[in-house]
Amino acid sequence: MSGTDSTNGLEAVPDCLFCKIVAGDVPAEIVSTTDHTVAFRDINPQAPTHVLVIPRLHAPDAASLALASPEAAVALLVETRRIAMAEGHDSYRLVFNTGEGAGQTVFHAHGHVLAGRDLTWPPG
């Protein structure tokens, strides 16, 4: 990802780890790519299946992505389901952390697809 997306003005952030993964500048175990998303395995998995799905556009969190580019937000949600199914799970958890207090450490919108074990509630 480089420059500005012509439809919504969201720009890549040079020091953003996930923008670097989208651009191919930082290696990741890529699970899938689409026109709108990149999905890769989490380096610190919390379940047997733990895949991050990120938009190619930079937005700091999921709500910001939805406001700036509803099409990209929908594509991200659709891809999370497709990945869970492709990994053999029709039961999975989808997590979007928003803000440091909620555990967000990379401020580029992303969904965690978690599956492959019993996931209790509340999560933590």
Side-chain angles (χ1 to χ4, degrees):
M1 176 172 136
S2 62
T4 302
D5 179 88
S6 62
T7 61
N8 59 28
L10 298 178
E11 296 182 14
V13 174
D15 63 347
C16 173
L17 173 63
F18 289 175
C19 287
K20 290 177 182 180
I21 289 172
V22 168
D25 296 336
V26 170
E29 188 179 341
I30 303 295
V31 172
S32 76
T33 60
T34 70
D35 289 345
H36 292 285
T37 65
V38 175
F40 53 93
R41 300 215 183 271
D42 194 294
I43 62 170
N44 184 25
Q46 301 300 303
T49 296
H50 189 167
V51 176
L52 300 180
V53 183
I54 66 173
R56 290 182 177 274
L57 303 173
H58 181 90
D61 55 59
S64 298
L65 178 67
L67 287 171
S69 179
E71 179 184 13
V74 168
L76 189 148
L77 285 172
V78 168
E79 187 61 4
T80 62
R81 180 182 186 279
R82 193 201 65 73
I83 286 168
M85 299 297 145
E87 295 276 323
H89 306 289
D90 60 1
S91 181
Y92 61 96
R93 180 169 290 161
L94 178 57
V95 177
F96 290 95
N97 297 319
T98 300
E100 193 173 322
Q104 186 177 9
T105 57
V106 178
F107 293 88
H108 181 122
H110 60 285
H112 297 256
V113 178
L114 300 154
R117 68 169 174 82
D118 288 339
L119 299 167
T120 60
W121 194 262

